[in-house]
Amino acid sequence: MPIRRAVRRSAPALTLALTVLAALAAPAAGQAAAAEPGQDAPRVVAHRGASGHAPENTVAAAEAAAELGARWVETDVQRTADGELVLVHDETLERTTNAEEVFPDRAPWNVSDFTAAEIAQLDAGSWYGEEFAGEPVPTLTEFLAVLEENGQDLLLELKSPELYPGIEQEVLVQLAEQGWLGEDAAGELVIQSFNADAVRTVHELEPSVTTGFLGTPDPDELA
């Protein structure tokens, strides 16, 4: 489906590099530093959600970030074997889920080798703490709905996009369908990646979206 063009003008990608990004690794990190009069306050970003307070990249982590007062939430998106967009940091599932226990014969438990229904069976919370037992791996659809309800903004990383050809378009379509593009967008949005080609593709498909490149590339790579 065609992607709706956003009317709202986005800040240059360089803005991201100049922003203070603070992962919520401890309770005190939920408070942003005071700004001088006439200056913008630092942006506090909950890295993988409030990952110091709840299992990373889960709805619980987004909710914890909201409780701590962090408006911006960073998360990582990948694609399942049947095309669902899910939020997982690693390319494999064993560190943050019980995939090894549930599917003992599926090593190395690549995200891309499992269907959405299979990933939905996994526990993405027990590794972090018993109180989070049964916390699922969220889909991008589910996560966006939570952020909109909480009034939070999104810093979305395309994780290893070279493994998922076309994921840039799919992510933008999902964002458009859930109202994250356009003048009445649900929240502010930045899409970032360590893959320069993916960042370039997002910009070409939807120039209004603010993008950020992660890493230290040769300047020619970004030309």
Side-chain angles (χ1 to χ4, degrees):
M1 68 177 283
I3 299 171
R4 293 184 298 163
R5 292 291 174 188
V7 176
R8 185 187 68 243
R9 295 185 62 185
S10 299
L14 181 59
T15 301
L16 181 62
L18 300 178
T19 299
V20 177
L21 304 179
L24 294 182
Q31 300 178 359
E36 294 295 329
Q39 293 182 338
D40 291 335
R43 296 183 183 182
V44 175
V45 178
H47 186 234
R48 306 180 201 172
S51 53
H53 301 262
E56 64 185 61
N57 286 338
T58 62
V59 167
E63 297 284 12
E67 292 174 2
L68 290 164
R71 182 175 180 122
W72 281 87
V73 177
E74 186 268 352
T75 192
D76 309 280
V77 65
Q78 298 189 59
R79 188 173 66 206
T80 67
D82 56 343
E84 185 71 67
L85 298 173
V86 294
L87 306 185
V88 183
H89 176 270
D90 299 358
E91 294 174 7
T92 59
L93 293 159
E94 76 271 22
R95 180 178 66 85
T96 56
T97 76
N98 61 341
E100 188 172 359
E101 175 185 338
V102 177
F103 301 104
D105 59 345
R106 300 281 293 276
W109 302 284
N110 294 317
V111 174
S112 59
D113 290 338
F114 288 80
T115 66
E118 289 172 333
I119 290 178
Q121 299 176 43
L122 302 179
D123 179 349
S126 290
W127 69 274
Y128 188 91
E130 293 182 1
E131 67 272 30
F132 296 104
E135 185 75 23
V137 174
T139 64
L140 179 59
T141 298
E142 294 165 342
F143 204 77
L144 290 174
V146 170
L147 296 189
E148 181 176 1
E149 182 177 352
N150 290 342
Q152 292 169 293
D153 300 323
L154 177 61
L155 178 58
L156 183 63
E157 180 175 345
L158 305 180
K159 183 62 66 173
S160 304
E162 63 276 7
L163 299 178
Y164 310 106
I167 193 172
E168 302 90 349
Q169 171 82 14
E170 293 166 357
V171 165
L172 289 169
V173 167
Q174 186 67 69
L175 290 165
E177 288 178 346
Q178 292 189 243
W180 281 77
L181 301 180
E183 61 180 346
D184 297 321
E188 294 295 321
L189 171 69
V190 175
I191 297 179
Q192 64 181 8
S193 181
F194 282 94
N195 185 304
D197 289 336
V199 174
R200 186 178 296 110
T201 296
V202 170
H203 179 69
E204 291 172 350
L205 290 171
E206 192 61 56
S208 63
V209 172
T210 302
T211 54
F213 182 79
L214 301 171
T216 54
D218 186 305
D220 292 337
E221 184 180 355
L222 299 179

